[in-house]
Amino acid sequence: MDKTRWLPIMIVIIIGIVLGALILTWGNNSAGLRDATSGEEKEVVAIDSASAEKEKSDQYEPPQGPRGGKLFTTDDFSVEVTIFEKGVPPQFRLYLYSKGRLISSTEAKVSLTLTRLGAPAQLFRFTPEGDYLIGDQEVEEPHSFDVAIIADWKGRTYRWGYSQVEARVEMSDETMKSSGIQIATAIPAIIKPTLKLPGEIIFNEHTILQVVPRIPGMVTAVMGHHGQHVQKGDVLAIIESPMLADLRSQYLVARRRLVLAQTTYEREKQLWEEKITAKQEYLTAQQQWDEAKIALQLASERLHALGVSPQSSLSEKNLSRYEIRTPIPGIITAKAIVLGESVKEDTAVYTVADVSTVWAAITVYPKDLNVVKVGQEATIKATAFDLEGEGTVTYITTLIGGPTRAATARVELDNHEERWRPGMFVTAELVAEEIQVPVAVSVEAIQTLRDWSVVFGRYGNYFEARPLELGRSDGTMVEVLKGLSAGEQYAVGNSFAIKSELGKAGATHDH
C-alpha cells in the first residue's frame, strides 16, 4: 500500500525535474541568440560609422589658416593659400609654415595649376615677396575652379588640391527649356555702333521771318496773335499812314498824266504825218509821254516796295489804309503791336516761323566729334512719347562752348504734319561705320552680377558666370573684348532665371 501511495508522487517529481531541465536549456539558447543579434547590430553600426567617416572625408574642407586662407599640412610642413584683392587685381599669396610657425618665403618652391570649366589649365608660378609668395598672374573672376598645388621643401615634394565653386548653377536641359532659357554661341559679327546723343527740337532758323510795317503809321486793327497759325498773305494788322496816302496820290497823278501825255503824243504824231505841224512839236509830245511812263513806273515801284498793289489805289477809298500781311505760312511766335500804337517802318511787330521743317539741335561731346559727320543718317526719337523721324546731319558747329563744352549738330526733319514741336527733348541715334569684331554676344544675354557685366556660359549641365569686358554695340550685338572666346556657348532668353538661381544658392566669394 505504501508503494502504491508514493508512486504518483514520484512521477510528479520526475516530470518536474524534466521540465526544469528543459526550461534551463531554452533560457541558455535564448541568451545566446540575443548575444548573437547584438553582435550583428554592433557590426552594422560600425559599418555605418565607417561610411559616414568616408563621406565626411570626401567633403573635406581644408582648415582656415592664420591669414584667413586655406591651410594644407603634411607632416611638419604647411602652405596657406590666399587670394588677395584689396587695392590690386586678385592675386594668389602663399604663406609657408613649419610646425605651425611662419618660415621664410624663400625656403620652398611652389607652383599651382588652376582649371576652370571650358578653359585650358592655367599654371601659376610664385616668387618671394616679403613674408609670402606671390603669383605671376591675376586670378580672374569668378573664383570658381579646381586647384592642384605642388611644393618642394627640404628635398621632399608635397601635393594638395581643392575645389572652389562660385557663380555656378547646375541645370538640366529639361529645366533650362521649361525656364525659357536658350543657348547661343559667341561668334564673330558685324557691329553697327549706334551713338545716342541728347537734343532738342528748335525752329528752322532759315524759315523764321520778322514782319515789319515798312511804313510808319497808326495801328487801327490787330488780327494776328501769338501762337496763331497763319497762311501766306493773311492780314496781321492794319495801320493808317499819311505817307502811304501821299504815295498813292502820286501814283494816281502819274497815271492820269500818262493818259494825257499819250493822247497828246498820238495827236501830234498824226498832225506831223499830215504835214500840219512841225516835227519839233511831235518830238516834244513823245518826250513828255516817255517821262510820264517813267513817273508812273516809279510811283508803282514805290508802292510795290511797301507790299501794296498799285491797283488798290484805284479802288481804295481810304488812301492811308495799309495792311500788314505775313509773307510766309507758319506760326506767330512773337507779337509786338497793340491797337492805337504808332509804329515805325523798321519796327518788328511780328515774328512768324514756318514749321513745315524743324531742326533737331543735337549735343555732340568732344569725345564723339570724330564719329558725327555732315550727311550722316540719324534717327530722332522723342523722349516723352512715341514719335520717331529720320533725317541727316546738315551742319556741325565749328566752335565748342556752353556749360557742357560741346558742339551742336543740326538734323533737319520734315514736319508737314506738325508733330514735332520746338522745345521737345529728343534722343538722336547716329549709325557709325560697320565694324567686324572677332567675338560678339547678344545684348539681351548680358546680366549684372555684383559689379560685373556677365553672360552665363554653358558647360555640360552647368551654367557659370563669365565677367566680360565689352566694346562697341549696336543695340543687338555687343563686342566682347575679354572674358569669352569664339565658339563658347552662353544663355540667352530668360537668362535672369539663372541669376535668380544663384541668389537662391547663396553663391560665396572666397578671398
Side-chain angles (χ1 to χ4, degrees):
M1 290 184 63
D2 291 338
K3 291 180 179 180
T4 303
R5 189 178 60 181
W6 283 101
L7 183 60
I9 295 173
M10 292 299 293
I11 293 173
V12 170
I13 291 172
I14 292 170
I15 293 173
I17 292 171
V18 173
L19 289 174
L22 290 173
I23 292 171
L24 289 174
T25 302
W26 178 258
N28 290 335
N29 291 337
S30 298
L33 181 60
R34 283 195 300 271
D35 289 341
T37 304
S38 297
E40 290 176 358
E41 290 175 351
K42 290 178 182 177
E43 183 179 356
V44 171
V45 171
I47 292 173
D48 290 343
S49 298
S51 298
E53 289 299 323
K54 183 178 186 304
E55 182 179 352
K56 183 177 179 181
S57 176
D58 291 342
Q59 297 177 353
Y60 172 73
E61 179 70 19
Q64 185 172 340
R67 286 164 176 78
K70 300 180 185 297
L71 186 64
F72 300 90
T73 303
T74 299
D75 299 331
D76 295 334
F77 180 61
S78 303
V79 174
E80 183 180 1
V81 180
T82 69
I83 298 178
F84 186 83
E85 50 186 329
K86 293 181 179 179
V88 296
Q91 56 186 221
F92 279 118
R93 291 187 179 183
L94 309 182
Y95 296 87
L96 309 179
Y97 302 91
S98 177
K99 296 182 180 180
R101 299 183 62 183
L102 185 68
I103 61 176
S104 172
S105 60
T106 61
E107 291 192 21
K109 292 185 178 180
V110 184
S111 64
L112 184 152
T113 302
L114 184 151
T115 306
R116 298 176 182 270
L117 291 178
Q122 186 178 7
L123 177 63
F124 286 77
R125 302 184 186 277
F126 292 85
T127 56
E129 184 170 307
D131 60 350
Y132 57 85
L133 293 164
I134 186 170
D136 61 349
Q137 304 173 57
E138 177 183 341
V139 186
E140 297 181 353
E141 300 282 4
H143 295 166
S144 184
F145 35 64
D146 294 326
V147 178
I149 307 166
I150 299 178
D152 293 323
W153 181 64
K154 291 186 176 181
R156 291 188 60 186
T157 299
Y158 299 84
R159 300 176 186 273
W160 299 285
Y162 71 95
S163 294
Q164 180 171 315
V165 175
E166 179 186 7
R168 181 187 297 177
V169 171
E170 185 175 6
M171 186 176 292
S172 66
D173 290 343
E174 292 75 13
T175 303
M176 181 185 70
K177 292 178 181 178
S178 64
S179 299
I181 300 170
Q182 299 175 345
I183 300 298
T185 303
I187 57 174
I190 296 177
I191 301 292
K192 299 179 180 179
T194 300
L195 180 64
K196 293 186 178 181
L197 297 172
E200 180 183 357
I201 298 298
I202 62 174
F203 289 110
N204 183 341
E205 294 178 4
H206 298 161
T207 59
I208 295 178
L209 180 72
Q210 289 189 333
V211 180
V212 297
R214 293 187 284 184
I215 193 169
M218 182 73 68
V219 179
T220 59
V222 176
M223 282 77 85
H225 302 283
H226 191 277
Q228 182 177 335
H229 285 71
V230 292
Q231 299 299 320
K232 181 179 179 180
D234 285 354
V235 178
L236 303 179
I238 297 174
I239 64 174
E240 289 188 354
S241 172
M243 179 182 292
L244 179 59
D246 184 55
L247 292 175
R248 279 176 166 162
S249 298
Q250 292 178 17
Y251 172 78
L252 294 174
V253 170
R255 183 182 177 87
R256 291 173 182 173
R257 286 179 177 173
L258 177 60
V259 173
L260 178 60
Q262 182 178 2
T263 302
T264 302
Y265 164 75
E266 291 175 351
R267 185 183 67 248
E268 290 299 329
K269 179 181 179 182
Q270 182 178 1
L271 292 174
W272 174 70
E273 290 175 349
E274 294 177 355
K275 310 295 184 180
I276 298 174
T277 59
K279 184 177 181 180
Q280 184 63 35
E281 293 182 2
Y282 161 69
L283 294 175
T284 301
Q286 185 179 34
Q287 180 180 358
Q288 290 176 347
W289 185 36
D290 292 337
E291 291 176 354
K293 287 191 289 186
I294 294 173
L296 180 62
Q297 184 178 1
L298 178 60
S300 177
E301 291 297 330
R302 287 175 176 174
L303 292 175
H304 277 298
L306 301 177
V308 177
S309 171
Q311 298 301 322
S312 65
S313 303
L314 301 176
S315 57
E316 188 66 56
K317 296 180 179 179
N318 184 357
L319 297 181
S320 63
R321 175 188 170 91
Y322 177 68
E323 296 177 342
I324 302 176
R325 297 177 180 270
T326 172
I328 61 172
I331 299 175
I332 298 175
T333 60
K335 171 190 171 186
I337 186 172
V338 294
L339 191 64
E341 177 185 14
S342 178
V343 295
K344 296 182 179 179
E345 65 275 9
D346 57 353
T347 303
V349 292
Y350 287 100
T351 301
V352 179
D354 182 356
V355 293
S356 60
T357 60
V358 292
W359 288 345
I362 308 304
T363 301
V364 183
Y365 302 106
K367 65 182 181 65
D368 299 320
L369 281 173
N370 63 330
V371 177
V372 182
K373 308 293 182 183
V374 173
Q376 190 172 9
E377 296 293 330
T379 300
I380 308 299
K381 297 181 179 179
T383 58
F385 54 93
D386 185 17
L387 178 58
E388 182 176 320
E390 304 288 336
T392 57
V393 178
T394 59
Y395 175 73
I396 303 173
T397 56
T398 55
L399 297 178
I400 297 177
T404 59
R405 308 303 300 168
T408 300
R410 295 175 184 168
V411 177
E412 187 168 315
L413 298 171
D414 180 82
N415 194 37
H416 281 89
E417 296 181 1
E418 297 188 7
R419 300 179 66 191
W420 297 105
R421 297 179 180 273
M424 289 173 55
F425 291 111
V426 297
T427 298
E429 297 182 359
L430 298 99
V431 178
E433 59 181 343
E434 297 182 354
I435 302 171
Q436 178 76 43
V437 298
V439 185
V441 296
S442 173
V443 170
E444 66 173 332
I446 304 296
Q447 296 289 338
T448 300
L449 187 65
R450 297 212 295 270
D451 56 348
W452 309 328
S453 293
V454 306
V455 295
F456 293 101
R458 181 66 169 173
Y459 309 99
N461 283 338
Y462 293 97
F463 282 109
E464 190 169 274
R466 287 291 178 261
L468 304 180
E469 182 180 338
L470 301 175
R472 294 155 291 192
S473 174
D474 58 7
T476 301
M477 301 293 288
V478 58
E479 178 185 15
V480 176
L481 301 176
K482 184 179 179 183
L484 203 68
S485 302
E488 286 195 72
Q489 293 185 325
Y490 63 95
V492 293
N494 188 26
S495 59
F496 185 80
I498 304 174
K499 182 177 177 181
S500 299
E501 288 297 320
L502 279 178
K504 295 176 184 178
T508 59
H509 183 68
D510 288 354
H511 298 280

